């Protein structure tokens, strides 16, 4: 791994994980599909700052990194979305937010201060207080295995509007990421395939490669976060 990495939980109910990296060389990271929103705040070694807002990804994405850059990232929970745009329009899309000379950035017509790793939660709380974050309860119920109090067709519409993807695809993404976690813990491929409901090992291999960019064997050896 050509960057230092750490992660932590957040006090925000909209957030899955907060992470921090310091790039120790130039390279390219393959980010697995995650079907959720992400924000990345980067202090550039060459000077200046950058803020990226990414919508739900349905496929692996190549992310370049450069020596000396420092980034703080937020991965939001599946079903969480930003309210200032039509959510489905952000599927597989990343936008670079406008920056001010003093390092502040613009989002939803307002100016915000760049956070650091230790003080990210106040920014997330401010997003919430200003109505920029929301969570779809139908998607949350469907992904948790509960029975949403709406028709299957309505569930489909919720997924398509909020994630730009079908319920089936979002579940495939979640399962592939879970499979990688089991494989990296040392579990046998056949056991993981059975435990997670894949038809066979070949089915698991195809899905993991398609949605994370790595085969199960490569995932075992990969020393980067997924």
């Amino acid at each position: 791994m050509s960057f230092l990495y750490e992660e932590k939980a957040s006090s925000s109910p909209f957030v899955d994980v907060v992470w921090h990296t310091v790039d120790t060389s130039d390279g390219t990271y393959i980010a697995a599909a995650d079907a959720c929103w992400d924000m990345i705040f980067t202090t550039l070694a060459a000077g200046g700052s950058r803020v990226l807002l990414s919508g739900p990804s349905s496929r692996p994405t190549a992310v370049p990194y450069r020596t000396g850059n420092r980034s703080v990232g937020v991965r939001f929970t599946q079903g969480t979305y930003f309210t200032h745009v039509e959510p489905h329009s952000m599927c597989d899309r990343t936008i670079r937010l406008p920056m001010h000379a003093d390092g502040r950035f613009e989002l939803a017509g307002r100016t915000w201060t760049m956070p650091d790793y230790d003080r990210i939660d106040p920014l997330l709380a401010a997003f919430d207080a200003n109505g920029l974050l929301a969570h779809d309860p139908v998607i949350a119920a469907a992904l948790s295995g509960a029975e949403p109090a709406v028709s299957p067709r309505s569930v489909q519409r919720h997924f398509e509007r909020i994630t730009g993807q079908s319920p089936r695809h979002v579940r495939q993404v979640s399962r592939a990421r879970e499979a990688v976690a089991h494989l990296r813990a040392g579990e046998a491929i056949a056991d993981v395939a059975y435990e997670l409901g894949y038809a066979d090992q070949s089915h698991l291999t195809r899905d993991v490669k398609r949605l994370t960019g790595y085969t199960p064997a490569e995932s075992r050896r990969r020393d980067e976060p997924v």
Side-chain angles (χ1 to χ4, degrees), residues 8 59 114 131 140 178 180 225:
K8 64 180 181 180
R59 57 180 182 263
M114 281 278 287
E178 186 177 357
V180 170

Side-chain angles (χ1 to χ4, degrees), residues 95-118:
I95 58 175
R96 187 165 178 166
L97 301 181
M99 300 296 302
H100 290 246
D102 61 4
R104 294 180 300 162
F105 66 97
E106 293 184 12
L107 175 68
R110 296 193 56 171
T111 301
W112 310 85
T113 300
M114 281 278 287
D116 59 27
Y117 185 60
D118 294 326

Side-chain angles (χ1 to χ4, degrees), residues 85-141:
V85 295
E86 190 61 39
H88 68 82
S89 69
M90 287 294 291
C91 181
D92 291 320
R93 181 183 174 203
T94 296
I95 58 175
R96 187 165 178 166
L97 301 181
M99 300 296 302
H100 290 246
D102 61 4
R104 294 180 300 162
F105 66 97
E106 293 184 12
L107 175 68
R110 296 193 56 171
T111 301
W112 310 85
T113 300
M114 281 278 287
D116 59 27
Y117 185 60
D118 294 326
R119 291 189 291 273
I120 185 72
D121 280 353
L123 176 64
L124 299 170
F127 286 167
D128 183 18
N130 283 273
L132 289 179
L133 291 173
H135 191 80
D136 189 296
V138 172
I139 291 177

